[in-house]
Amino acid sequence: MKLLILTINLFFYLECKCSEILYIQQMPSYSHYILCDKIVKGLLAKGHRVTLISPYSQKTQVENLKEIPLTKLKEESEAIKDKVDPTTFQNTFMSLVFDGGKHVLEDENVQKEIFKPGLHFDLIIIHKFGEELLTGLSYHFKAPYILLSTIGQSFVGSMQVGLPGVPAYLPDFLINISPEMCFFQRLINTVIIDSMLIYGYFFHFRKLDNDMQKFFPGAPSVSDLYFNVSLYLWNSHPSYGFSLPSVPNAIDVGGFHVSDPKPLPKDLKTILDGAKDGAIFFSLGSNVRAFSLPNETKDGILKSFSKLKQVVLWKFEDPELPNKPKNVHISKWYPQQDILAHPNVKLFITHGGLLSLTEAVYNGVPIIGIPVFGDQFYNVEEAVKQGYAYKVLYNEMNEKNFDKAIGEMLNNKKYYENMKEKSRVFHDRPVKPLDSTIYWIEYVIRHRGAPHLRSITANLSWIQLQLLDVYATLLVLLFIAFKCIQIVIRKIVNKICNCKSSKKEKTIKKTQ
Ligand SMILES: *[C@@H]1O[C@H](CO)[C@@H](O)[C@H](O)[C@H]1NC(C)=O
Ligand SMILES: *[C@@H]1O[C@H](CO)[C@@H](O)[C@H](O)[C@H]1NC(C)=O
């Protein structure tokens, strides 16, 4: 008997401790995988089992991790990155992204591994962007789902959790304006956001409903599933972004992907330790290949670098870089976080991707931002406004502009001091961001979707949330009241006039 109770207890203990989690990282962008990898490793460390659908995979097999690679999606996106210049890249890439959910569900490996009978998951984690159809998995597995937004708050995400008045403070990240908007910007933003919402409700979701039924027969409508998110993880933090309104089931976890620095490889350590006048780290991220820059741009940049006392590390994918001065080192890969953590690194020249920006703030290294696409324009604009960054346009990378930007950053202490202050605020939190992320994910599992966290505003329709029904009623009432007053006034005026005219008539009669 005792043994039976013990076994039952052990069974429950094990069942409570270890959950089956399905994680979908559908975006063919390595920076998204960096975020996903960190969370997956955190969950594995807590004893959970994870099934991961992603274009990328681990180098070696990891215990309790089952990987389902999106091979086709990865090949398609790599082909785009290799061929096309950044501007056209954005458009082609975005079409791949917005249909992300469909690419995932149609994938051969996914069809084979995920739709086989008898599979069970306690929780599903999905990345934001093209996730509409993927929410069908939450219906399929009868499991709650969590969304991770790699860019922090977006207006769509805010609507999903029921935040009211979003166009007043949250510009669409692609329009590249600051959340502190003037009247005209709020007007434009409202028109853009509301038209996108109307388009979403009446066309996009309806179109997707057919696909939803194709992949998940009997599933609720896309909008029912879409607005049923259990928890939203926002990759942002007020220390380097804005303090924005929130709800209990949306958590700011910005910075969770940054690890404590690891020792640098020996050659790098020698270079950086020896950089007595400081070092500059230059990387345009994983989506832009530096070797595809025009020759004259590369030459201009190198000329500017050659005038510096500082050592420059440039993430450059080709082994050959003609005319490379002595103080410039290149490599196709650098341990970015560990380099930024080195005390001699004084400046980071970056495309302004959110992860790079976060790592710069974490380590207190001021930046020169060269935005290339997507949210990078917005990120760099904000960083400039907050006084720890300087902007250079991608099409204007040349010797003169680099001289100016680097000179300003190295000679004006303001940028460095502002960045150090940001960094101090960034680190001052009750719980480390990764611990907080894992805690809230487990919380949703423990409380089966944690419906109590959902804001009651999430159940209101868009019209109710914006109080449009109320204002419409008030307008009608106001109109009726106005009409009534108008009628009364007209009556009174008429009466007075009638009296006057009858008096007049009398006087006229008398004088006659
Ligand atoms: C750029 O420079 C490389 C190496 O010097 C050369 O092979 C290549 O043809 C040049 N490209 C253009 C467009 O001039
Ligand atoms: C919404 O999620 C909860 C779990 O948090 C689940 O019980 C419910 O069935 C879901 N509703 C829809 C329409 O999927």
Side-chain angles (χ1 to χ4, degrees):
M1 189 63 195
K2 262 192 188 156
L3 193 69
L4 185 67
I5 291 174
L6 196 72
T7 342
I8 289 173
N9 275 346
L10 192 68
F11 176 73
F12 275 108
Y13 176 70
L14 286 179
E15 198 193 42
C16 291
K17 259 203 91 135
C18 161
S19 303
E20 288 286 348
I21 298 167
L22 175 61
Y23 197 123
I24 305 151
Q25 187 268 305
Q26 68 273 28
M27 177 87 123
S29 172
Y30 196 74
S31 56
H32 288 232
Y33 184 69
I34 294 176
L35 293 173
C36 143
D37 184 57
K38 199 77 190 175
I39 296 182
V40 167
K41 297 270 167 68
L43 290 169
L44 291 175
K46 287 299 205 92
H48 303 294
R49 276 198 295 270
V50 180
T51 300
L52 172 60
I53 301 176
S54 164
Y56 307 95
S57 43
Q58 299 287 328
K59 290 194 185 73
T60 55
Q61 189 155 7
V62 176
E63 208 190 330
N64 287 335
L65 174 66
K66 180 181 164 60
E67 291 176 289
I68 303 178
L70 297 168
T71 328
K72 200 164 150 244
L73 187 62
K74 184 176 173 199
E75 279 166 10
E76 277 175 28
S77 62
E78 293 297 311
I80 294 174
K81 284 178 212 173
D82 276 340
K83 280 199 198 105
V84 190
D85 73 287
T87 345
T88 17
F89 161 71
Q90 167 158 338
N91 302 335
T92 330
F93 195 68
M94 279 309 187
S95 68
L96 213 62
V97 167
F98 285 118
D99 278 337
K102 207 163 167 191
H103 287 296
V104 172
L105 293 171
E106 276 171 351
D107 189 274
E108 252 176 46
N109 298 338
V110 172
Q111 280 291 333
K112 207 164 66 200
E113 299 290 339
I114 289 296
F115 290 98
K116 63 185 178 197
L119 226 52
H120 160 84
F121 292 105
D122 302 291
L123 177 75
I124 300 168
I125 303 177
I126 311 173
H127 277 211
K128 181 88 198 139
F129 286 133
E131 81 280 19
E132 297 90 334
L133 287 174
L134 298 173
T135 59
L137 289 164
S138 138
Y139 162 79
H140 183 75
F141 290 112
K142 304 277 168 284
Y145 78 92
I146 292 178
L147 283 178
L148 170 80
S149 164
T150 52
I151 57 161
Q153 271 198 49
S154 62
F155 80 84
V156 194
S158 310
M159 297 274 179
Q160 261 173 300
V161 290
L163 274 164
V166 175
Y169 63 87
L170 202 60
D172 175 43
F173 75 96
L174 290 177
I175 9 183
N176 182 24
I177 44 176
S178 158
E180 292 159 317
M181 291 176 274
C182 68
F183 170 77
F184 185 64
Q185 288 172 323
R186 270 186 299 127
L187 183 72
I188 301 275
N189 193 45
T190 308
V191 170
I192 291 179
I193 288 188
D194 286 354
S195 3
M196 285 207 254
L197 279 178
I198 290 168
Y199 173 77
Y201 277 114
F202 291 105
F203 301 99
H204 188 54
F205 280 179
R206 296 237 167 119
K207 208 177 84 201
L208 287 177
D209 270 330
N210 295 330
D211 285 329
M212 185 65 99
Q213 292 305 321
K214 194 180 98 196
F215 290 113
F216 307 101
S221 70
V222 173
S223 65
D224 280 349
L225 288 164
Y226 190 71
F227 288 94
N228 199 31
V229 53
S230 285
L231 177 73
Y232 226 117
L233 299 170
W234 277 329
N235 184 28
S236 56
H237 189 258
S239 58
Y240 59 98
F242 280 89
S243 173
L244 299 173
S246 191
V247 287
N249 68 336
I251 314 292
D252 263 328
V253 292
F256 74 85
H257 79 282
V258 194
S259 317
D260 291 334
K262 291 182 292 295
L264 286 166
K266 210 161 161 223
D267 51 339
L268 263 181
K269 188 170 155 39
T270 319
I271 295 173
L272 287 179
D273 284 350
K276 284 191 194 60
D277 294 301
I280 297 172
F281 181 51
F282 179 23
S283 164
L284 290 178
S286 53
N287 289 331
V288 179
R289 313 281 149 110
F291 69 72
S292 61
L293 293 172
N295 281 351
E296 58 195 57
T297 308
K298 281 187 277 198
D299 286 341
I301 293 173
L302 286 180
K303 272 202 197 116
S304 174
F305 285 162
S306 70
K307 290 179 237 164
L308 296 169
K309 285 182 294 181
Q310 285 78 9
V311 167
V312 179
L313 303 179
W314 184 357
K315 178 184 166 285
F316 191 85
E317 296 82 359
D318 245 2
E320 286 299 316
L321 178 57
N323 312 328
K324 183 167 70 68
K326 270 218 307 283
N327 65 332
V328 177
H329 303 263
I330 56 168
S331 165
K332 79 176 204 273
W333 183 81
Y334 276 120
Q336 177 163 308
Q337 294 187 16
D338 305 330
I339 288 178
L340 291 175
H342 195 284
N344 284 350
V345 174
K346 300 290 181 230
L347 176 62
F348 179 22
I349 307 178
T350 166
H351 61 313
L354 198 53
L355 300 197
S356 293
L357 207 76
T358 312
E359 290 161 24
V361 177
Y362 185 101
N363 291 299
V365 182
I367 62 171
I368 291 177
I370 307 172
V372 183
F373 84 108
D375 61 328
Q376 293 160 8
F377 295 93
Y378 177 83
N379 298 340
V380 171
E381 209 64 55
E382 280 325 307
V384 170
K385 206 172 279 173
Q386 304 209 11
Y388 58 83
Y390 191 96
K391 185 170 86 172
V392 173
L393 293 176
Y394 184 80
N395 294 328
E396 293 177 10
M397 289 199 284
N398 54 37
E399 185 184 353
K400 196 174 110 243
N401 287 338
F402 261 59
D403 283 352
K404 194 165 147 225
I406 296 174
E408 170 74 5
M409 291 304 286
L410 294 179
N411 297 327
N412 192 337
K413 275 258 168 279
K414 167 190 109 175
Y415 301 97
Y416 179 78
E417 278 156 15
N418 284 339
M419 191 51 137
K420 282 287 170 217
E421 178 57 28
K422 289 273 158 218
S423 193
R424 273 194 292 277
V425 180
F426 177 94
H427 287 283
D428 197 346
R429 312 190 201 187
V431 187
K432 285 198 172 166
L434 181 62
D435 295 339
S436 162
T437 310
I438 302 297
Y439 171 85
W440 285 107
I441 292 174
E442 290 186 319
Y443 184 96
V444 171
I445 301 175
R446 279 201 297 278
H447 301 285
R448 293 173 202 286
H452 57 275
L453 282 189
R454 276 166 57 81
S455 164
I456 50 170
T457 50
N459 299 328
L460 297 178
S461 73
W462 174 68
I463 288 178
Q464 292 168 325
L465 193 63
Q466 309 301 330
L467 291 172
L468 292 186
D469 48 352
V470 173
Y471 288 125
T473 313
L474 287 180
L475 261 174
V476 170
L477 288 180
L478 219 64
F479 181 71
I480 293 174
F482 175 74
K483 275 286 166 202
C484 289
I485 293 172
Q486 207 181 20
I487 291 168
V488 171
I489 290 179
R490 204 171 281 160
K491 283 232 160 105
I492 295 173
V493 170
N494 278 351
K495 225 178 203 146
I496 295 173
C497 291
N498 282 347
C499 290
K500 270 191 186 157
S501 53
S502 50
K503 261 187 201 162
K504 250 187 199 161
E505 271 170 28
K506 274 179 199 164
T507 38
I508 289 170
K509 267 182 192 165
K510 266 185 193 168
T511 49
Q512 274 175 352

